[in-house]
């Protein structure tokens, strides 16, 4: 966690995330207020907007690109792998550090809502579930993307290559969400809807809890962390 704050990347991410989220929040607040729209809430609008997903897709590869690639480049990975530390402990520590910093990046959005509720003195048309569940889904998606970023970073010494490959893989998986708009019906449509991040976020932002995305994202996160551990085990044996 500390290593992020000794790098300018952390402050660039903090600035860009706060700027984009702040601008999006103000835009949707004004739009919903002026047009008196009540079909969806402010948080639904913010977390289903283009800039929300764009920021999420871009920030995670930048956040994770240094995780193992920098260790390879500096040669410190050999020292770590020969220390009395198990591979899963190393992977888990990198993962939890990234998840904590990821949470810090998105914390201002929760603060915006808290300040707004205090200023207006009412619920803003949102129940507790409609506030908590979207952030839960955001955390689950972030954990999944971070596990992909760590896996890719463990494959290369170059941070830029790690960032590009991570973005490509994350974007490819995210693109499955758009297949539902191709007019596909039946069980195929239902399966795509089950894999769609857009549908999952929309469901959770309405205050509806669905255990299926939790199981899916949790299992996928574990899978990529498991692959990362196996890559490190292979490197230890090779050394």
């Amino acid at each position: 966690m500390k290593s992020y704050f000794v790098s300018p990347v952390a402050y660039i991410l903090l600035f860009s995330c706060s700027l984009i989220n702040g601008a999006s929040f103000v835009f949707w607040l004004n739009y919903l207020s002026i047009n008196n729209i009540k079909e969806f809430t402010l948080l639904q609008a913010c977390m289903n907007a283009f800039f929300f997903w764009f920021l999420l897709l871009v920030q995670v590869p930048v956040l994770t690109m240094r995780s193992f690639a920098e260790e390879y480049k500096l040669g410190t990975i050999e020292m770590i792998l020969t220390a009395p530390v198990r591979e899963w402990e190393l992977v888990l520590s990198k993962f939890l550090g990234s998840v904590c910093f990821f949470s810090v990046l998105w914390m201002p959005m929760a603060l915006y809502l808290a300040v707004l509720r205090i200023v207006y003195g009412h619920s803003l048309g949102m129940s507790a579930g409609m506030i908590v569940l979207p952030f839960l889904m955001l955390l689950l998606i972030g954990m999944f993307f971070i596990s992909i970023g760590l896996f890719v970073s463990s494959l290369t010494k170059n941070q830029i290559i790690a960032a590009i490959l991570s973005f490509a893989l994350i974007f490819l998986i995210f693109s499955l969400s758009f297949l539902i708009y191709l007019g596909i019906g039946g069980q195929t449509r239902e399966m795509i809807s089950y894999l769609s991040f857009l549908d999952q976020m929309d469901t959770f932002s309405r205050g509806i809890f669905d255990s299926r995305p939790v199981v899916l994202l949790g299992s996928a996160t574990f899978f990529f962390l498991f692959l990362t551990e196996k890559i490190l085990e292979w490197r230890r044996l090779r050394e």
Side-chain angles (χ1 to χ4, degrees):
M1 184 67 176
K2 181 180 177 181
S3 66
Y4 282 108
F5 290 96
V6 297
S7 168
V9 174
Y11 299 97
I12 293 173
L13 284 175
L14 282 169
F15 174 77
S16 60
C17 189
S18 299
L19 180 65
I20 295 175
N21 278 332
S24 177
F25 189 87
V26 171
F27 169 79
W28 285 111
L29 177 62
N30 290 331
Y31 181 80
L32 296 178
S33 300
I34 293 174
N35 296 280
N36 196 27
I37 296 176
K38 298 182 179 179
E39 287 77 12
F40 50 88
T41 66
L42 176 60
L43 196 56
Q44 279 181 272
C46 290
M47 287 196 168
N48 289 279
F50 166 79
F51 285 108
F52 169 82
W53 292 106
F54 172 79
L55 187 61
L56 184 59
L57 292 174
V58 171
Q59 71 179 190
V60 172
V62 177
L63 179 65
T64 58
M65 66 180 184
R66 299 173 60 245
S67 299
F68 292 104
E70 187 178 40
E71 303 283 6
Y72 296 157
K73 182 179 179 180
L74 298 178
T76 54
I77 190 67
E78 285 78 10
M79 180 181 64
I80 295 175
L81 292 178
T82 55
V85 178
R86 298 179 181 178
E87 288 82 2
W88 69 266
E89 293 174 328
L90 176 59
V91 172
L92 191 60
S93 64
K94 296 276 190 181
F95 174 72
L96 292 178
S98 298
V99 170
C100 288
F101 186 74
F102 176 84
S103 302
V104 171
L105 291 176
W106 291 96
M107 192 176 297
M109 183 174 287
L111 296 177
Y112 300 154
L113 290 173
V115 171
L116 203 58
R117 288 179 70 116
I118 294 173
V119 171
Y120 277 86
H122 59 71
S123 63
L124 300 173
M126 291 180 285
S127 63
M130 296 174 75
I131 296 176
V132 174
L133 291 179
F135 284 104
L136 172 61
M137 177 54 61
L138 172 62
L139 181 62
L140 289 171
I141 295 175
M143 291 168 62
F144 173 50
F145 287 172
I146 287 171
S147 68
I148 294 176
L150 292 178
F151 168 69
V152 175
S153 182
S154 68
L155 298 175
T156 178
K157 296 181 179 180
N158 191 301
Q159 299 179 31
I160 304 300
I161 293 177
I164 294 174
L165 291 179
S166 297
F167 175 79
L169 184 55
I170 290 172
F171 182 76
L172 180 63
I173 295 174
F174 176 76
S175 297
L176 295 175
S177 303
F178 298 103
L179 294 179
I180 197 172
Y181 300 108
L182 298 179
I184 301 175
Q187 294 182 345
T188 304
R189 179 183 177 84
E190 184 177 349
M191 182 183 69
I192 294 174
S193 178
Y194 172 64
L195 299 174
S196 172
F197 295 118
L198 299 176
D199 281 14
Q200 293 167 3
M201 180 59 77
D202 181 65
T203 299
F204 274 61
S205 62
R206 295 177 186 273
I208 303 172
F209 177 78
D210 187 354
S211 61
R212 294 177 300 171
V214 178
V215 175
L216 173 65
L217 294 172
S219 302
T221 299
F222 176 80
F223 174 72
F224 277 100
L225 292 179
F226 173 77
L227 291 181
T228 306
E229 181 195 10
K230 293 305 176 184
I231 293 295
L232 294 179
E233 284 184 359
W234 175 76
R235 289 189 66 91
R236 186 195 290 269
L237 293 175
R238 194 183 68 170
E239 296 294 334

